[in-house]
Amino acid sequence: MAEGTGNPGSKVRFADVDADRDADYLVVGDNGDVSLWRNNDVTTGGSWGPQVKYVSDLNSAGRVEFADIDGDKDADYLVVSPGGVVTAWRNDKVASVGGSGWHKLGMIADGVEMFSSERVTFADYDGDGDDDDYLVVSDAGKVRAWRNDGASPLQGGGWAWKSVGTIATGSTSEGEVQFADIDGDGADGYLAVVGHKAYAWRNHGTNAPGGGGWGPKTQIADPSQASASEKTMFAHIISCDGRADYILRDPTQNNKLTGWKNLAGFANRWDAAKKVAYGWPSVSTPRSTWPTSPATALTTT
């Protein structure tokens, strides 16, 4: 992703850290430290909370991700290392109690055979309500999956993963693969993003053995007012109705966010564009000069 005047896009994360069903805004700094702005009902006239230090002193080396691996509805802190090795810290109400709420689980996945063109991500392919399944996605959009079966005494206190094989065959021409629950049915759909245009396949049980496959390719979004610098993503930022909203993040404007509320799932109906957040400065900027709130409210652009 392009690097703008603020944090590079690779440092920005969206996750529900406090189990209130909307996505909060996180920025990953050096050594895996994380700054957090909580989403305090922005959609209903609330605001983003002040910047706080959410993760510190874990000294993690690897790519930081957030996913609810233990099913308690708040996102846990994961570090993905080369080869798909994953180390995890469980979130036990960290947003309320602070750093003492992090509990190290250790290595929960020892990696899989991967090509250099493949990446690890986490999504809810099986509709159990948690973004907890381990997926390996290729540049061509092929997806292999391992179902999260939770902590297992049989794994020596580690984590149990069940290989379910290939859940999507992919296509080299479809674009960047993302996963999001577009229709609020609890299961993430398969998305392909080409620029700002987004296509989606409804999840009917995926291509896993015994699954019901994927629905037909459907164009779900193509905003006319998007600029070339803005990056497309889907997150539960604007509403808490279970349907992921369409978000444009501008790395040249401190990762300013513009969003469209999802009104009808796969029907390509979106509310008017709204300014969701003004963006944040670089992690190298002295925190004494950081704004206390990235946006006072959700405002129509």
Side-chain angles (χ1 to χ4, degrees):
M1 294 184 180
E3 183 170 343
T5 57
N7 297 294
S10 61
K11 298 294 186 181
V12 175
R13 303 287 185 272
F14 294 94
D16 183 3
V17 303
D18 50 9
D20 64 354
R21 300 183 64 203
D22 54 23
D24 306 293
Y25 193 111
L26 306 107
V27 174
V28 181
D30 296 335
N31 300 318
D33 288 0
V34 178
S35 293
L36 163 70
W37 290 261
R38 291 175 70 177
N39 183 343
N40 294 325
D41 298 322
V42 173
T43 185
T44 57
S47 65
W48 293 97
Q51 178 265 337
V52 297
K53 194 74 168 181
Y54 184 59
V55 177
S56 61
D57 301 324
L58 297 184
N59 295 316
S60 58
R63 189 182 82 247
V64 172
E65 299 291 348
F66 289 87
D68 178 19
I69 63 162
D70 59 355
D72 64 355
K73 305 306 179 185
D74 52 20
D76 305 298
Y77 178 93
L78 312 178
V79 178
V80 182
S81 302
V85 175
V86 181
T87 305
W89 284 258
R90 183 169 61 84
N91 177 354
D92 189 6
K93 298 181 174 59
V94 175
S96 300
V97 304
S100 63
W102 290 116
H103 299 285
K104 187 172 183 178
L105 299 175
M107 186 177 70
I108 63 167
D110 57 6
V112 297
E113 292 187 7
M114 297 173 58
F115 293 103
S116 59
S117 61
E118 292 181 309
R119 60 183 171 90
V120 171
T121 190
F122 296 86
D124 183 10
Y125 87 86
D126 58 358
D128 65 356
D130 307 312
D131 287 332
D132 59 354
D133 300 305
Y134 179 106
L135 309 182
V136 174
V137 184
S138 75
D139 283 350
K142 178 180 178 180
V143 183
R144 295 180 288 149
W146 285 257
R147 188 185 69 231
N148 179 355
D149 285 342
S152 172
L154 298 178
Q155 300 291 328
W159 224 255
W161 301 93
K162 171 66 175 178
S163 174
V164 295
T166 298
I167 64 168
T169 56
S171 169
T172 57
S173 62
E174 298 296 355
E176 178 196 358
V177 173
Q178 299 184 22
F179 294 89
D181 185 357
I182 298 299
D183 56 358
D185 66 350
D188 285 347
Y190 180 102
L191 312 181
V193 176
V194 183
H196 303 114
K197 186 178 294 186
Y199 301 95
W201 289 255
R202 191 190 303 269
N203 186 341
H204 292 309
T206 81
N207 295 136
W214 301 91
K217 177 182 178 180
T218 305
Q219 181 178 317
I220 60 170
D222 186 16
S224 59
Q225 60 268 57
S227 65
S229 62
E230 292 178 302
K231 309 301 178 183
T232 300
M233 59 174 297
F234 291 83
H236 299 269
I237 292 179
I238 300 176
S239 63
C240 300
D241 60 4
R243 296 191 295 258
D245 305 306
Y246 181 96
I247 307 294
L248 290 179
R249 177 184 56 79
D250 193 343
T252 70
Q253 298 292 323
N254 287 340
N255 293 303
K256 178 186 72 175
L257 304 180
T258 303
W260 288 256
K261 181 180 178 179
N262 184 344
L263 298 178
F266 287 82
N268 195 9
R269 290 180 51 223
W270 306 87
D271 203 357
K274 297 181 184 297
K275 185 179 295 180
V276 179
Y278 299 122
W280 293 267
S282 169
V283 290
S284 62
T285 304
R287 283 193 172 82
S288 60
T289 67
W290 284 31
T292 57
S293 179
T296 56
L298 192 71
T299 56
T300 303
T301 58

